[in-house]
Amino acid sequence: MMPLLAVRDLTVTFAAAAAAAAGPVRVVDGISLDVMPGEVVGLVGESGSGKSVTLRALLRLLHAAHIGGRVLWKGRDVLAMPDHELREMRGKGMAAVFQEPTAALNPVLPIGLQIEESLSAHTTLNAAARRRRAIELLGEVGITDASRRLGAYPHELSGGQRQRAMIAIALAAGPEILLADEPTTALDVTIQDQILALLLRLVADRGMGLLLVTHDLGVVAETCDRMVVLYAGRVAEAGSVADVFHQPRHAYTDALLRSMPGEGTARTRLAPIPGQPPSLGRPPDACAFVPRCGYTNPLCTEHRPPLIEVEPGRASACTAWNRLPARVPS
Amino acid sequence: MTAALLEIDHLSKRFPLRRSTLDALRGRPRPMLQAVHDVSLSIARGEAVGIVGESGCGKSTLARCLVRLHEPDSGRIAYNGADVLALAGDQRRAFNRSVQMVFQDPYGSLHPRQTVDRILAEPLAIHGVPDAETRIERALDEVGLGTGFRFRYPHQLSGGQRQRIAIARALILEPQILLLDEPTSALDASVQAEVLNLLDALRCRRGLTFVMVSHDLAVVTHLCERLMVMQRGQTVEFLSAPDLAAHRVTNAYTLSLMHASSGFKRAAEPGHLEPLS
Ligand SMILES: Nc1ncnc2c1ncn2[C@@H]1O[C@H](COP(=O)(O)OP(=O)(O)OP(=O)(O)O)[C@@H](O)[C@H]1O
Ligand SMILES: Nc1ncnc2c1ncn2[C@@H]1O[C@H](COP(=O)(O)OP(=O)(O)OP(=O)(O)O)[C@@H](O)[C@H]1O
Ligand code: SF4
Ligand SMILES: [Mg+2]
Ligand SMILES: [Mg+2]
């Protein structure tokens, strides 16, 4: 089966981000991943590791950036696509839910109209059917009283309602693959469950591919088939969710899994990963995690450890991949 | 009983909803949405109170009323005994400095054409606070962003980096009360842990008072010893963190929130795949 989305050695380089920065910064540095029809792939990694930039690059929505590598959507090269094909692909082929709804929604259009716009661009429904469908979509994302909220402008919605309106707009196009950047961060668990169940239903029933960016490891555990862990713009490790959770193969993943807050542990100190991610200006020829890692050994600084297949279906860029403790399921 | 630092008394806020053109022509009254309905809450100095509740239940509206971004329709807010809604002039300025809010939506709350440096320097300038340089560096450091971020614009930051700038901006004035509206929602576990530890340390060191809105029960119970549960604009339950840990919960919504927090379960494995229509 051909992947819906195949990414090979994706790089994104920004011209100097600030007057003070020395030169161009490469914030995504050689990411590869596949999403099959009916598959949910989780993309996780520390704040600033390049998740959102990756998603935007896949849709060619980055300005002032140089994108390298290959992005194949159903075998077609997105980075080389002429503009009219790109417009056709966006929405119905590949739709996105962005991290910050306020930035993604049109502030001067009621949300009902924004959904209807998506419907008229990507479906053949007539005006009355579009309105019905818009109400139905808002209902599906849990906005009660949908028919009365169609006329609301984005600023008249709560944070979570805005996020759900954006999901409704993306789903209106009936995408074959959905790129979802933290789609449930503003939502309480009950509605989060409803949204995730809705997305998983589309995955199961229609074979939609889902690339889910989230920092919520609980969500990854419960919804994703495979996960890709990023660190400083590179893939640290990739594998099936069950495998990664039970036996991390990268020291960063190991540390990340340890920093999850547990329930009912009021006012105990949490264990963040000490230190800060590297500045991306001029990456050293070594593992980027060295300054923060408890497993460092001479191999880590000899040169940058490459991403290798350490077990079937399991890739890691850590020299200590076979020395990390297995985790007891809690 | 010690006097409360912040006292919210029967606060209500309604928003008008849009009418259809037809209803407007027929002269039907504008339907109203009761976003906050008769909420009372008293917060002592040094206390950390969490506000939880489903999306759209009025948490942000309540917080925005407290910093006077919305005028409530009725009710009173007292800060140190003074009527907040009647503050003017110097008193209002002092209030604005002592009560800082971190907004739910960092993107909308950071000026797009200001560098991080300007964003952090401005409140200091407005309130005539000296040592801007040192304070800015320290604030950036505290939220885990080095000084390398000083001359970036908000759009050149990641979501979590923007959220941390918003936190740094609120902290830089050393407020008495910090209102946090989903302050860690865009942060991964490790950075979230760092920020929560920072907030906890500030509370011990400076006796900072917190009101924290979050849909994440684990985060709220980590920082707060008391929570208020809201539903459709109203308070439905007050809980202590130990109550919650021991599952001593009476309200049905709180119960469902608690159960749902214990994990989303993926339904049956996907069966056969239909071709895309
Ligand atoms: N336009 C830009 N110019 C320069 N640097 C940028 C730009 N946009 C993003 N960056 C940097 O690229 C890195 C990756 O950003 P990205 O938004 O992809 O992070 P992320 O993994 O989505 O993080 P988060 O979890 O905080 O949202 C960050 O360090 C960010 O500061
Ligand atoms: N300016 C406005 N005009 C009209 N309605 C509004 C306005 N602001 C908020 N509302 C409505 O008031 C209700 C409460 O909104 P609020 O933002 O307080 O919710 P919330 O509890 O913060 O939710 P979330 O967790 O999703 O952020 C919502 O139904 C929202 O749509
Ligand atoms: S390669 Fe070395 S420094 Fe990098 S994560 Fe693995 S053990 Fe740590
Ligand atoms: Mg992001
Ligand atoms: Mg809110």
Side-chain angles (χ1 to χ4, degrees), chain B residues 126-189:
Chain B
I126 289 175
H127 293 281
V129 181
D131 305 326
E133 195 71 9
T134 344
R135 282 172 197 267
I136 290 173
E137 279 177 20
R138 190 178 60 209
L140 283 173
D141 212 50
E142 281 182 335
V143 294
L145 297 171
T147 44
F149 287 88
R150 273 183 78 166
F151 299 99
R152 299 257 195 115
Y153 289 92
H155 77 270
Q156 296 175 322
L157 301 171
S158 80
Q161 288 163 350
R162 270 192 290 273
Q163 197 165 41
R164 282 179 281 165
I165 295 297
I167 294 173
R169 179 180 56 183
L171 288 176
I172 204 162
L173 284 171
E174 303 194 352
Q176 302 281 307
I177 300 186
L178 200 53
L179 304 178
L180 302 151
D181 196 352
E182 305 281 3
T184 61
S185 62
L187 304 180
D188 55 275

Side-chain angles (χ1 to χ4, degrees), chain A residues 172-213:
Chain A
E176 292 169 88
I177 175 160
L178 182 69
L179 312 176
D181 198 350
E182 309 277 10
T184 60
T185 41
L187 303 176
D188 58 281
V189 265
T190 40
I191 294 176
Q192 172 175 307
D193 285 4
Q194 184 182 343
I195 298 285
L196 292 174
L198 169 67
L199 296 182
L200 289 182
R201 212 156 55 233
L202 294 173
V203 168
D205 296 350
R206 298 192 23 233
M208 183 177 81
L210 177 59
L211 182 58
L212 183 68
V213 170

Side-chain angles (χ1 to χ4, degrees), chain A:
Chain A
M1 197 163 36
M2 183 166 64
L4 275 176
L5 177 71
V7 181
R8 293 292 170 268
D9 289 318
L10 184 76
T11 60
V12 178
T13 314
F14 289 105
V25 276
R26 177 160 287 191
V27 303
V28 172
D29 190 13
I31 288 179
S32 299
L33 59 87
D34 285 346
V35 181
M36 305 298 284
E39 188 181 42
V40 187
V41 177
L43 191 58
V44 304
E46 198 158 26
S47 176
S49 59
K51 306 179 295 292
S52 301
V53 168
T54 300
L55 287 204
R56 289 183 172 272
L58 298 181
L59 285 164
R60 278 172 58 190
L61 286 172
L62 285 169
H63 306 287
H66 180 265
I67 308 176
R70 272 153 65 81
V71 176
L72 300 174
W73 169 71
K74 299 205 291 188
R76 284 153 69 188
D77 190 344
V78 174
L79 299 183
M81 238 177 221
D83 283 355
H84 69 274
E85 265 183 62
L86 189 64
R87 273 196 301 277
E88 247 167 61
M89 182 204 69
R90 285 184 192 150
K92 192 160 175 55
M94 188 146 68
V97 174
F98 294 107
Q99 190 170 7
E100 275 139 321
T102 319
L105 292 170
N106 185 340
V108 297
L109 270 194
I111 50 155
L113 272 186
Q114 297 190 50
I115 298 175
E116 287 189 42
E117 268 189 352
S118 175
L119 288 169
S120 68
H122 302 289
T123 69
T124 54
L125 300 177
N126 65 24
R130 285 202 298 271
R131 192 185 143 81
R132 274 199 306 277
R133 179 76 183 123
I135 293 173
E136 186 178 282
L137 278 162
L138 281 182
E140 281 179 9
V141 295
I143 294 186
T144 48
D145 207 7
S147 57
R148 292 211 315 177
R149 297 321 293 268
L150 282 179
Y153 288 88
H155 77 271
E156 295 173 328
L157 298 176
S158 81
Q161 288 166 343
R162 269 198 292 273
Q163 195 169 39
R164 288 178 280 156
M166 194 172 48
I167 294 172
I169 293 169
L171 294 182
E176 292 169 88
I177 175 160
L178 182 69
L179 312 176
D181 198 350
E182 309 277 10
T184 60
T185 41
L187 303 176
D188 58 281
V189 265
T190 40
I191 294 176
Q192 172 175 307
D193 285 4
Q194 184 182 343
I195 298 285
L196 292 174
L198 169 67
L199 296 182
L200 289 182
R201 212 156 55 233
L202 294 173
V203 168
D205 296 350
R206 298 192 23 233
M208 183 177 81
L210 177 59
L211 182 58
L212 183 68
V213 170
T214 174
H215 59 259
D216 188 332
L217 295 169
V219 168
V220 175
E222 304 293 353
T223 60
C224 298
D225 302 305
R226 284 187 309 116
M227 67 194 279
V228 176
V229 182
L230 296 188
Y231 188 76
R234 301 177 64 86
V235 176
E237 82 165 295
S240 85
V241 167
D243 289 353
V244 175
F245 271 75
H246 290 140
Q247 173 64 74
R249 290 296 189 202
H250 194 288
Y252 167 65
T253 319
D254 177 69
L256 186 68
L257 291 172
R258 283 171 202 279
S259 64
M260 291 205 283
E263 212 196 326
T265 51
R267 314 212 56 197
T268 48
R269 250 186 100 79
L270 300 170
I273 304 171
Q276 283 178 16
S279 75
L280 299 164
R282 209 177 300 120
D285 191 18
C287 172
F289 197 53
V290 166
R292 309 169 73 186
C293 183
Y295 292 88
T296 314
N297 59 79
L299 278 178
C300 309
T301 46
E302 220 162 70
H303 59 81
R304 191 162 57 192
L307 186 72
I308 50 169
E309 183 164 43
V310 294
E311 280 163 21
R314 201 70 197 283
S316 164
C318 180
T319 59
W321 67 270
N322 54 1
R323 292 195 283 119
L324 301 168
R327 284 165 39 87
V328 212
S330 53

Side-chain angles (χ1 to χ4, degrees), chain B residues 47-212:
Chain B
E47 200 184 10
V49 177
I51 301 178
V52 299
E54 63 192 336
S55 172
C57 72
K59 306 180 295 294
S60 299
T61 305
L62 177 63
R64 293 169 74 92
C65 285
L66 297 184
V67 290
R68 295 190 62 179
L69 282 168
H70 291 316
E71 275 317 294
D73 296 314
S74 59
R76 263 175 50 91
I77 305 167
Y79 172 67
N80 258 336
D83 182 357
V84 168
L85 301 172
L87 292 178
D90 281 354
Q91 283 181 312
R92 171 125 195 215
R93 268 165 61 97
F95 174 81
N96 287 351
R97 178 173 175 182
S98 339
V99 182
Q100 289 290 313
M101 175 154 172
V102 177
F103 294 93
Q104 183 170 15
D105 165 17
Y107 199 90
S109 74
L110 300 176
H111 195 294
R113 295 200 204 295
Q114 291 185 348
T115 59
V116 167
D117 198 60
R118 268 264 326 264
I119 289 169
L120 296 178
E122 207 164 74
L124 295 174
I126 289 175
H127 293 281
V129 181
D131 305 326
E133 195 71 9
T134 344
R135 282 172 197 267
I136 290 173
E137 279 177 20
R138 190 178 60 209
L140 283 173
D141 212 50
E142 281 182 335
V143 294
L145 297 171
T147 44
F149 287 88
R150 273 183 78 166
F151 299 99
R152 299 257 195 115
Y153 289 92
H155 77 270
Q156 296 175 322
L157 301 171
S158 80
Q161 288 163 350
R162 270 192 290 273
Q163 197 165 41
R164 282 179 281 165
I165 295 297
I167 294 173
R169 179 180 56 183
L171 288 176
I172 204 162
L173 284 171
E174 303 194 352
Q176 302 281 307
I177 300 186
L178 200 53
L179 304 178
L180 302 151
D181 196 352
E182 305 281 3
T184 61
S185 62
L187 304 180
D188 55 275
S190 174
V191 179
Q192 171 177 294
E194 230 172 276
V195 169
L196 292 179
N197 285 340
L198 166 70
L199 294 175
D200 225 11
L202 287 175
R203 187 172 164 204
C204 296
R205 220 162 54 222
R206 296 215 305 256
L208 195 61
T209 305
F210 290 111
V211 179
M212 175 145 149

